[in-house]
Amino acid sequence: HEYVMEFLCRLEEQGGLGYRNVSNIVVSNDLFIPSIMGEFVKNSQPDTWARLMKKFGQDEQALQTALKDKVKEAMMDYQNVAIFINNRGNRTITFEGEKVWLFYVSGTELKGDDEFKQNIFCAVEESSHTLRVGDAKLYTIRPDIMFLVNGIYIGYMELKSSTKGQTA
């Protein structure tokens, strides 16, 4: 783990990917990091964030939770997060009457990668999540590394060592 995480989280100018190493305790059981989602909107869309904060009585945590719930609701119409993200119309959502960008793509005609660089890429080690339906526990997963962009789960990686006899 330490070698892969070191590469993922090492700064780009030092040959890494520049992901943020985030503690597994901040990931919600529904695979979001509301504080990172809020940080992205706050920093990349400050006017929108200010208007939303006013609507939530300056309660940042309540705003982050409500935003997470709205994004989760928007994703429910898709089979998985990749399909949601790849749908061109899903770069934004309307939340509390505001257009909120969820992420920025690279190589746009007008801004190149300027907006893309505002995205917050995170790597999280061994975050345990349990899938439940009602009171029934279906299964628990604990992937070696999870990946999130702007607090939204996008995938995971299982690390195995053939020298230790591990197989996928």
Side-chain angles (χ1 to χ4, degrees):
H1 292 218
E2 64 270 6
Y3 302 112
V4 174
M5 284 299 286
E6 197 272 326
F7 168 70
L8 292 171
C9 300
R10 187 173 50 231
L11 297 175
E12 290 180 65
E13 40 293 344
Q14 297 171 349
L17 295 180
Y19 279 48
R20 187 182 293 182
N21 188 344
V22 178
S23 168
N24 59 15
I25 63 171
V26 300
V27 181
S28 65
N29 195 56
D30 48 4
L31 305 177
F32 289 91
I33 305 177
S35 61
I36 300 288
M37 190 180 295
E39 179 185 344
F40 170 73
V41 176
K42 183 179 186 176
N43 293 335
S44 67
Q45 304 153 73
D47 294 339
T48 300
W49 183 256
R51 288 189 299 273
L52 288 169
M53 282 292 288
K54 193 173 185 179
K55 291 177 182 181
F56 280 82
Q58 304 304 317
D59 186 341
E60 193 166 294
Q61 190 168 18
L63 171 52
Q64 291 169 354
T65 299
L67 180 59
K68 173 203 65 123
D69 291 343
K70 180 65 175 179
V71 172
K72 181 179 175 182
E73 178 186 312
M75 288 181 173
M76 296 305 279
D77 292 335
Y78 295 85
Q79 290 178 312
N80 60 48
V81 177
I83 294 172
F84 174 80
I85 287 175
N86 283 323
N87 184 327
R88 294 188 63 90
N90 288 332
R91 295 179 185 150
T92 65
I93 60 168
T94 300
F95 173 66
E96 296 290 323
E98 301 285 340
K99 180 179 182 178
V100 177
W101 287 88
L102 300 177
F103 60 92
Y104 295 127
V105 297
S106 64
T108 65
E109 281 188 40
L110 295 177
K111 301 199 179 184
D113 284 342
D114 291 345
E115 287 180 330
F116 179 77
K117 291 175 183 177
Q118 295 180 58
N119 290 319
I120 303 170
F121 294 92
C122 299
V124 180
E125 284 186 272
E126 297 187 349
S127 185
S128 183
H129 300 278
T130 301
L131 178 63
R132 295 181 180 277
V133 175
D135 291 335
K137 175 180 163 182
L138 294 183
Y139 61 86
T140 298
I141 61 167
R142 190 173 131 193
D144 293 329
I145 301 174
M146 287 179 29
F147 299 98
L148 299 99
V149 60
N150 302 331
I152 302 169
Y153 168 82
I154 56 171
Y156 71 92
M157 176 187 294
E158 286 291 338
L159 304 174
K160 303 298 176 208
S161 172
S162 60
T163 60
K164 293 182 180 179
Q166 297 175 337
T167 59

